[in-house]
Amino acid sequence: EVQLLESGGGLVQPGGSLRLSCAASGFSFSDYAMSWVRQAPGKGLEWVSLIGASGNDTYYADSVKGRFTISRDSSKNTLYLQMNSLRVEDTAVYYCAKGRPEDYWGQGTLVTVSS
Amino acid sequence: DIVMTQSPDSLAVSLGERATINCKSSQTVLYSSNNKNYLAWYQHKPGQPPKLLISWASTRQSGVPDRFTGSGSGTDFTLTISSLQAEDVAVYYCQQYFNARTFGQGTKVAIK
């Protein structure tokens, strides 16, 4: 059974940093692209970042480019999102998701950026 | 960047009636080398992660009821729910995965 479990969310002040993790199981992690997608309160889904299966290719939404870094550790079957220079508008539930298109999703982790 | 635009933003349909959602991309998501449209549809209910309904514009995922149908090619796509059920109340999103990813703004489906 495919499982994706996000962690690392929480409350952080504007300008602060946070690292999200997504522990994957039930599939061959190194064979699939992985994404982060977020949903701000009352808003729609927003794609945040994507990493290819090998980890060599990364892509970012313009809204997070230069502030967020996606990475993966195939030895740990874990996806990461390093978030720096956080803004109030980054407040959202962050989901990790597998594949192209995204066929399995985690339950999400809430990130709140507030002073 | 590819921009995805859905219409309408919301719709209310009687139980058993048809619901139609449109999605337009700012550039083609049809890859000529394999003749595949890199277009997906998701269903999102409150408190749950999104659920992939349809990939490649028209391929229903395993376990998705056949009342959900995806159609279209190139830049214009449609999701049709042939006979709306109470459990179909949700927000529906189209997504292109031709070049990175982009979601449409979502269409909220309710019962009339």
Side-chain angles (χ1 to χ4, degrees):
Chain A
E1 179 192 6
V2 172
Q3 291 195 1
L4 297 169
L5 183 61
E6 302 97 338
S7 61
L11 175 64
V12 61
Q13 291 188 337
S17 297
L18 216 52
R19 188 176 84 155
L20 305 183
S21 300
C22 172
S25 61
F27 66 101
S28 181
F29 181 71
S30 58
D31 286 346
Y32 292 91
M34 298 291 295
S35 295
W36 289 98
V37 176
R38 69 185 180 184
Q39 184 179 35
K43 303 292 187 181
L45 298 177
E46 180 188 18
W47 169 76
V48 172
S49 184
L50 164 68
I51 187 167
S54 67
N56 291 335
D57 302 317
T58 58
Y59 306 85
Y60 299 93
D62 288 344
S63 58
V64 307
K65 201 172 295 183
R67 301 187 298 122
F68 289 13
T69 302
I70 192 171
S71 62
R72 63 193 297 162
D73 185 339
S74 291
S75 69
K76 297 181 178 179
N77 286 354
T78 302
L79 175 73
Y80 301 101
L81 186 68
Q82 177 66 44
M83 304 186 294
N84 298 330
S85 303
L86 282 161
R87 304 168 180 168
V88 171
E89 55 266 34
D90 294 319
T91 294
V93 174
Y94 285 73
Y95 297 98
C96 69
K98 158 194 169 282
R100 184 188 190 196
E102 284 71 13
D103 56 358
Y104 286 90
W105 297 62
Q107 290 297 315
T109 187
L110 176 63
V111 172
T112 303
V113 185
S114 175
S115 54
Chain B
D1 293 2
I2 300 176
V3 177
M4 308 299 289
T5 304
Q6 292 180 227
S7 62
D9 290 334
S10 64
L11 74 161
V13 175
S14 300
L15 287 172
E17 296 300 305
R18 180 186 301 259
T20 301
I21 301 169
N22 299 301
C23 175
K24 188 174 184 67
S25 58
S26 60
Q27 60 190 78
T28 187
V29 297
L30 174 62
Y31 189 40
S32 56
S33 296
N34 58 14
N35 202 37
K36 286 190 169 187
N37 287 284
Y38 286 63
L39 189 285
W41 289 97
Y42 294 87
Q43 177 190 66
H44 195 198
K45 298 180 179 179
Q48 298 181 18
K51 176 184 178 182
L52 176 64
L53 296 177
I54 288 170
S55 58
W56 310 111
S58 60
T59 301
R60 207 178 293 117
Q61 296 301 109
S62 175
V64 173
D66 59 8
R67 63 180 180 273
F68 291 92
T69 301
S71 61
S73 184
T75 61
D76 292 278
F77 301 90
T78 300
L79 175 68
T80 302
I81 309 172
S82 61
S83 176
L84 191 75
Q85 304 300 304
E87 60 265 32
D88 301 334
V89 169
V91 180
Y92 292 84
Y93 295 89
C94 62
Q95 179 212 43
Q96 67 80 19
Y97 49 101
F98 182 89
N99 181 3
R101 307 285 192 270
T102 319
F103 288 95
Q105 79 276 17
T107 297
K108 187 172 185 178
V109 173
I111 304 294
K112 185 187 291 182

